Amino acid sequence: MDKIVVTGNGPLNGQIPIAGAKNACLTLMPATLLSEEPLTLTNAPRLSDIKTMSELLASLGAEVSSLQDGQVLAMSSHDIHNHKADYDIVRKMRASILVLGPMLARDGHAVVSLPGGCAIGARPVDLHLKALEAMGAELELRDGYVHAKATGGLKGAVHEFPFVSVGATENALMAATLAKGTTVLKTAAREPEIVDLAECLIKMGAQIEGHGTSEITIQGVDRLNGATHPVVTDRIELGTYMLAPVITGGEVECLGGTRALVGAFCDKLEEAGVAIEETDKGLKVRRAGDLVKAVNVTTEPFPGFPTDLQAQMMALLCTADGTSVLEEKIFENRFMHAPELIRMGAEIDVQGGLATVTGVKRLKGAPVMATDLRASVSLILAGLAAEGETVVSRVYHLDRGYERVEEKLGACGAKIERLPE
Ligand code: UD1
């Protein structure tokens, strides 16, 4: 297992290209199961989670070829001969549950292991299952697996989610494209990844309206065709790298970024005293003064402040002027980066879903441990601004969601290297 060593090296300046979104790609890939014709994704990110999804799809009988250095994924599901998504693959990544809806919609049966993924709370899949049940699926939980059947196919239904779930919306949306009749999904997630999925499904021949709002209407069709689709820009990678110049005091242009992807995040940064300029190539970011101001942050479903940027924002606020309160409303156990930041000299008090961060002058490098995907990158950001050397171990979490971190930050002047542990 590798570790990453970061040494505080002053302001970062330059340009960082932002990749296609991991979370969009992980839901676009299972969409291949809905059609016998090829689905090709361009602008795919090169990440271990994408490899895991490729492995899962291949285990079901799909052909997945990674072309152009991993940036193009050519998939074909004309021969799906296995309908069981095995625990050995599913446990590596929660998004694996997204093969359930498509397989069930296509062939009327599927067996999928209950998922694993980042240890950031209980994260059940009940909302996914209830939506599929509303469409007529018969489900049974046995031996750690969901056994699903839809004799005679799925049927359109009006279904209201009790609260917003990105994954459950994606699973239900994919399943509904091939269900008989009309499906209305209420309290649907509005994330850009949902819009991207809907746009790809529409290219494949699906009839969908209202994506990007909290009510999506899907008119089921008999079959879907192939398509080629570019994966939307990764708004979490974008937000993460926007913080690099803010935390170090330089100026970085994040290529491919748009304000629409990270609106609430930009609003908070501006409140903290950050200058953001939308250019024709992306978003140019710099800290306006010597210090950022403390701000309060509450995570919410899109268009609110994303939970996936909370850890990185906390790293920034550790050296802000004043006291900030971060409220985590999506996941109940998502402050595992706080004790690691405290090891670097941060002043953070966590009480349930609230973290109070009192800015200190400067963080100090320390050996720290990545506990989940976003926590790991928050420690790297903290290390960029800290005095001395920060050694982040367990970086396999990082490799699930960030491609070529050392290269991207290194090109802007960061002193960062990957070493074998
Ligand atoms: C997706 C993202 C993840 C992000 C999260 C919230 C992917 C691959 N991952 O995860 O990076 O942090 O959205 O923006 O896209 N819940 C239930 N029952 C369910 C489903 C969810 O109780 O059946 C709960 C979860 O525990 C959580 C909340 O609902 O507290 C929101 O989760 P959800 O939006 O489903 O997140 P994911 O789709 O897993």
Side-chain angles (χ1 to χ4, degrees):
M1 217 186 292
D2 293 346
K3 62 185 177 184
I4 287 199
V5 181
V6 192
T7 312
N9 193 33
L12 296 193
N13 288 291
Q15 292 180 322
I16 299 182
I18 307 300
K22 168 182 87 79
N23 287 349
C25 200
L26 288 177
T27 185
L28 289 162
M29 292 174 75
T32 182
L33 297 170
L34 291 165
S35 172
E36 296 197 354
E37 292 176 22
L39 174 63
T40 301
L41 299 176
T42 59
N43 197 35
R46 292 158 290 187
L47 302 168
S48 64
D49 267 8
I50 301 301
K51 288 204 182 108
T52 305
M53 184 57 87
S54 303
E55 252 178 71
L56 174 59
L57 293 172
S59 77
L60 304 174
E63 287 163 27
V64 184
S65 312
S66 172
L67 310 170
Q68 295 186 24
D69 194 22
Q71 286 178 302
V72 173
L73 294 170
M75 298 172 290
S76 168
S77 300
H78 59 88
D79 178 26
I80 297 302
H81 50 71
N82 171 30
H83 289 78
K84 182 173 181 188
D86 212 70
Y87 175 68
D88 278 346
I89 305 181
V90 174
R91 71 184 166 83
K92 295 188 196 163
M93 191 181 66
R94 181 179 159 78
S96 309
I97 192 74
L98 295 172
V99 300
L100 177 60
M103 260 200 293
L104 193 56
R106 171 194 175 123
D107 292 326
H109 62 110
V111 179
V112 178
S113 168
L114 290 165
C118 275
I120 53 171
R123 306 185 85 182
V125 292
D126 53 327
L127 267 57
H128 299 240
L129 304 186
K130 280 192 190 118
L132 295 172
E133 269 176 338
M135 286 185 237
E138 293 163 44
L139 306 176
E140 202 189 327
L141 297 185
R142 213 177 338 121
D143 316 322
Y145 283 82
V146 184
H147 296 253
K149 262 195 311 195
T151 322
L154 292 172
K155 295 178 187 63
V158 177
H159 180 71
E160 174 146 22
F161 295 103
F163 52 88
V164 172
S165 160
V166 177
T169 303
E170 292 166 344
N171 232 336
L173 172 59
M174 287 192 276
T177 59
L178 292 179
K180 284 194 188 68
T182 308
T183 299
V184 182
L185 300 174
K186 297 184 177 186
T187 317
R190 297 153 66 186
E191 271 63 5
E193 293 76 26
I194 305 275
V195 175
D196 203 35
L197 172 64
E199 282 171 359
C200 175
L201 293 169
I202 290 169
K203 279 186 203 158
M204 294 168 74
Q207 292 189 17
I208 304 170
E209 278 174 16
H211 43 294
T213 76
S214 49
E215 185 167 310
I216 308 178
T217 304
I218 307 110
Q219 187 68 51
V221 295
D222 289 341
R223 59 178 295 284
L224 293 180
N225 45 259
T228 296
H229 182 78
V231 179
V232 67
T233 300
D234 195 318
R235 64 198 166 95
I236 307 303
E237 193 196 26
L238 169 63
T240 301
Y241 287 127
M242 284 172 73
L243 287 174
V246 180
I247 216 161
T248 61
E251 182 176 271
V252 168
E253 189 171 21
C254 294
L255 304 176
T258 62
R259 198 172 169 119
L261 288 170
V262 280
F265 175 72
C266 287
D267 293 347
K268 272 296 153 193
L269 285 187
E270 283 170 344
E271 191 185 326
V274 174
I276 301 169
E277 186 194 338
E278 198 157 14
T279 67
D280 54 355
K281 289 193 226 132
L283 291 178
K284 201 182 262 185
V285 185
R286 79 185 148 77
R287 190 168 79 198
D290 278 351
L291 271 182
V292 294
K293 291 194 272 281
V295 288
N296 297 334
V297 173
T298 302
T299 63
E300 274 166 318
F302 192 85
F305 191 101
T307 174
D308 285 352
L309 285 172
Q310 178 260 107
Q312 300 89 314
M313 191 71 178
M314 185 186 283
L316 170 69
L317 295 174
C318 286
T319 51
D321 183 15
T323 298
S324 310
V325 177
L326 290 111
E327 185 179 7
E328 174 55 56
K329 291 225 291 206
I330 309 291
F331 294 111
E332 72 271 27
N333 185 20
R334 209 177 195 182
F335 286 134
M336 287 177 301
H337 38 285
E340 302 301 313
L341 291 167
I342 290 169
R343 291 173 54 76
M344 298 177 71
E347 277 186 31
I348 306 168
D349 177 43
V350 175
Q351 301 287 341
L354 290 182
T356 306
V357 184
T358 305
V360 296
K361 249 202 155 52
R362 196 163 180 200
L363 295 178
K364 293 200 170 55
V368 288
M369 203 181 281
T371 49
D372 70 60
L373 169 54
R374 307 305 171 185
S376 60
V377 84
S378 77
L379 298 171
I380 290 180
L381 286 175
L384 291 174
E387 187 185 329
E389 194 177 86
T390 298
V391 181
V392 185
S393 52
R394 288 204 192 167
V395 294
Y396 61 89
H397 287 296
L398 185 80
D399 296 333
R400 288 186 45 211
Y402 290 89
E403 63 167 46
R404 306 175 186 205
V405 180
E406 310 92 279
E407 217 177 277
K408 289 187 182 186
L409 289 171
C412 294
K415 215 169 152 198
I416 176 168
E417 58 179 340
R418 180 184 289 258
L419 297 173
E421 198 140 32

